[in-house]
């Protein structure tokens, strides 16, 4: 299978329309099969499928991140509950000891009468103070016991709710995983139905679309048109260096390294390597990080794609990005306009540009492999810096 395609996805219904068998004579004419459709239609259909798959992948990633946090919260609650229960056991032991002492030393005489009948009233008074302090200690123990039981009960309820939420997230994650997996099988089924000639034609069409989009994007002045190459911050330089060293590693949906990546897994891990924690998904990276104009891009910034922010890449400089394109491909260097640009974000907006920056040396074959194409009507322009 050519590495020209893979990443965007729609639903099985779209593929069903492509792969239907012959209909009876009295039925409506069947839609043309993949082998009968023009290359441009097949490319558009595959782009739609890949894009849908990536949206589902980022949704899966978001749920996986919530599940990870929920598991950590549940574990923390379990630890607190264990401590609370241990404290309750200790308090119960103390309360039981005080009860036995009080029972064994009980008397029908009031403290006042005991004081009057005492041979040494001063000593009795001193003992009374001791007894008062002991009584206060017993009261505190009882209060600690009731408070501890109350806290343990609250923690037990919170732990139970946390486990219920964890189970619900795990079930949702499984449904999302199954959905992505099914969509990718649909894509593979469509690709396997194409001839070698059709695959070659699709690759040529995709490359032509990418080249045309890149030319139009650069001509639009979206990057500012300055001949000077901006320098990254030190953290940005570290993130770029990490991303470049991952070139050639396979794309795998839901993966965040070190042996495979999806798009946002690569960007998150690159910046984590630079000492900066950023959100896991492309949507959250677009939502939470500082947005910057495209004409202010510097290496290490993140370029976000598509209206729903479902793809992201690390800006390399000179109109290029390092990205994990889609299933079936590997991390590579691509033109910035290989996908429709939504905008850009900067993980370290306060980072100062380096002096004497030298771009990293790219490994052989860094730009090999296909990029994601799209229709000419979707080509980004200067307004994409929104």
């Amino acid at each position: 299978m050519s590495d020209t395609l893979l990443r965007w996805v729609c639903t099985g219904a779209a593929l069903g329309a492509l792969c239907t068998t012959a209909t009876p004579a009295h039925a409506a004419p069947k839609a043309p099969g993949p082998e009968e459709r023009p290359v441009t239609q097949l490319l558009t259909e595959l782009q739609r499928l890949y894009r849908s798959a990536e949206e589902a992948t980022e949704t899966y990633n978001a749920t996986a991140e919530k599940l990870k946090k929920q598991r950590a919260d549940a574990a923390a609650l379990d630890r607190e509950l264990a401590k609370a229960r241990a404290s309750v056991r200790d308090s119960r032991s103390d309360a039981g000891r005080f009860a036995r002492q009080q029972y064994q030393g009980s008397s029908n005489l009031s403290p006042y009468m005991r004081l009057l009948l005492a041979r040494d009233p001063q000593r009795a008074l001193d003992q009374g103070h001791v007894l008062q302090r002991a009584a206060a200690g017993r009261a505190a123990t009882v209060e600690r016991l009731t408070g501890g039981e109350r806290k343990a009960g609250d923690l037990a309820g919170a732990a139970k709710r946390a486990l219920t939420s964890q189970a619900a997230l795990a079930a949702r994650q499984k449904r999302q995983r199954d959905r992505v997996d099914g969509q990718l099988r649909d894509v593979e089924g469509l690709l396997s139905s194409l001839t070698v000639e059709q695959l070659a034609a699709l690759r040529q069409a995709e490359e032509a679309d990418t080249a045309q989009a890149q030319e139009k994007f650069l001509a639009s002045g979206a990057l500012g048109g300055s001949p000077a190459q901006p320098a990254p911050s030190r953290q940005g330089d570290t993130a770029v260096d990490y991303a470049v060293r991952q070139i050639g590693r396979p794309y795998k949906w839901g993966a965040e390294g070190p042996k495979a990546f999806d798009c946002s897994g690569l960007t998150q891990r690159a910046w984590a390597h630079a000492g900066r924690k950023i959100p896991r998904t492309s949507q959250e990276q677009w939502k939470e990080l500082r947005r910057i104009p495209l004409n202010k891009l510097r290496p290490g910034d993140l370029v976000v794609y598509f209206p729903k922010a479902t793809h992201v890449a690390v800006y390399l400089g000179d109109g290029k990005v390092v990205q994990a394109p889609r299933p079936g491909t590997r991390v590579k260097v691509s033109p910035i306009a290989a996908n429709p640009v939504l905008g850009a974000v900067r993980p370290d907006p306060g980072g100062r540009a380096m002096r004497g920056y030298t771009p990293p040396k790219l490994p052989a074959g860094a730009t090999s492999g296909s990029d994601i194409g799209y229709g000419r009507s979707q080509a980004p322009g200067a307004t994409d810096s929104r």
Side-chain angles (χ1 to χ4, degrees), residues 68-116:
K68 186 189 301 182
K69 182 179 183 303
Q70 188 61 49
R71 283 172 174 159
D73 291 345
L77 282 170
D78 285 342
R79 289 192 295 270
E80 288 298 313
L81 180 57
K83 291 179 182 177
R85 285 174 171 165
S87 177
V88 167
R89 285 195 299 270
D90 292 342
S91 297
R92 282 177 178 165
S93 176
D94 289 342
R97 177 167 50 83
F98 287 149
R100 289 191 299 273
Q101 289 173 351
Q102 184 167 344
Y103 175 77
Q104 292 167 357
S106 64
S107 171
N108 293 325
L109 294 176
S110 69
Y112 180 69
M113 289 299 296
R114 286 199 300 271
L115 175 62
L116 290 178

Side-chain angles (χ1 to χ4, degrees), residues 126-281:
D126 293 340
Q127 288 177 337
H129 289 307
V130 173
L131 290 173
Q132 286 178 348
R133 288 195 296 270
R138 293 170 187 171
T141 297
V142 172
E143 179 63 27
R144 188 167 65 248
L145 172 60
T146 56
E149 288 180 332
R150 199 161 46 240
K151 179 180 180 181
D154 292 343
L155 284 170
K160 183 177 180 180
R161 290 191 296 274
L163 286 175
T164 301
S165 177
Q166 178 176 316
L169 283 170
R172 187 194 309 172
Q173 185 190 38
K174 183 181 185 303
R175 289 194 299 270
Q176 291 167 349
R177 182 182 65 239
D178 292 344
R179 181 186 173 210
V180 176
D181 190 53
Q183 289 173 329
L184 293 178
R185 282 199 301 269
D186 287 342
V187 173
E188 291 175 357
L190 177 56
L191 290 174
S192 65
S193 70
L194 302 179
T195 64
V196 174
E197 291 75 14
Q198 283 178 309
L199 288 171
L202 280 171
R203 177 166 188 150
Q204 290 179 350
E206 185 182 61
E207 290 175 347
D209 268 3
T210 298
Q212 185 181 43
Q214 180 76 351
E215 181 180 357
K216 183 176 180 179
F217 183 81
L218 296 178
S220 73
L223 295 182
S226 173
Q229 179 74 309
S233 65
R234 290 204 174 275
Q235 282 186 307
D237 178 47
T238 302
V240 169
D241 180 70
Y242 180 88
V244 167
R245 286 189 284 110
Q246 309 316 306
I247 290 174
R249 296 193 183 278
Y251 178 107
K252 180 180 180 182
W253 65 267
E256 47 192 85
K259 295 182 179 180
F261 299 90
D262 63 15
C263 67
S264 57
L266 175 65
T267 55
Q268 184 196 45
R269 180 58 72 94
W271 273 96
H273 189 75
R276 178 81 173 179
K277 183 178 181 180
I278 65 173
R280 172 62 177 89
T281 68

